Amino acid sequence: MNYEINMHLDTIAVIRLYGELDHHATEKIRDQISRTILQGSLKTIIWNLEKLNFMDSSGVGLILGRMRELRAVNGQTIILNPSNTMKKIFQFSGMSSLMMDGKEKDAIMHARGIVNG
């Protein structure tokens, strides 16, 4: 499991996940993102799942947990380019409205509209 985190304007984090997201990988990502949220500047996380091949329940928990942390600071979550299987999982989890297909730059512009709304 590989991942990248890129910050935009100190308020938007784009997290690109590659390969397989399981319990071991989620711990590392969780700690890093939670610290950033607690610092107070992060308002939006865009999870780019375009190159993610597999995600178990801990991956869903990772996204849900960070979503809850962001809500505490009036933040937003965007799930970008999930596979068809992942779309079903997120729909069953009540996160349909958070999903988006497209390019990162479009998701960033969408987030900036939400944040600056």
Side-chain angles (χ1 to χ4, degrees):
M1 169 70 201
N2 290 317
Y3 69 96
E4 296 175 44
I5 300 174
N6 292 316
M7 295 297 294
H8 296 269
L9 303 173
D10 291 331
T11 61
I12 300 170
V14 176
I15 303 172
R16 293 182 199 106
L17 302 175
Y18 304 94
E20 297 185 358
L21 180 60
D22 59 16
H23 174 72
H24 299 292
T26 59
E27 290 181 22
K28 210 185 303 182
I29 298 169
R30 178 185 309 119
D31 292 342
Q32 187 173 357
I33 291 299
S34 291
R35 277 194 309 267
T36 305
I37 292 169
L38 290 173
Q39 290 172 354
S41 62
L42 188 62
K43 295 293 182 189
T44 302
I45 296 177
I46 299 170
W47 298 91
N48 189 341
L49 307 183
E50 184 174 19
K51 299 198 181 199
L52 188 65
N53 301 323
F54 170 80
M55 177 173 57
D56 67 11
S57 61
S58 64
V60 175
L62 171 71
I63 294 173
L64 278 170
R66 297 324 54 103
M67 183 180 75
R68 284 187 205 112
E69 289 177 352
L70 278 174
R71 281 192 179 157
V73 295
N74 295 320
Q76 285 288 330
T77 300
I78 297 173
I79 301 169
L80 185 64
N81 299 319
S83 69
N84 288 332
T85 302
M86 288 178 215
K87 282 181 184 178
K88 290 177 185 177
I89 292 168
F90 291 125
Q91 287 170 345
F92 290 135
S93 300
M95 299 190 303
S96 297
S97 63
L98 307 178
M99 291 187 289
M100 178 179 180
D101 287 319
K103 298 180 185 215
E104 279 183 13
K105 68 176 185 163
D106 296 330
I108 292 167
M109 294 304 290
H110 179 72
R112 289 181 69 194
I114 293 171
V115 171
N116 298 327

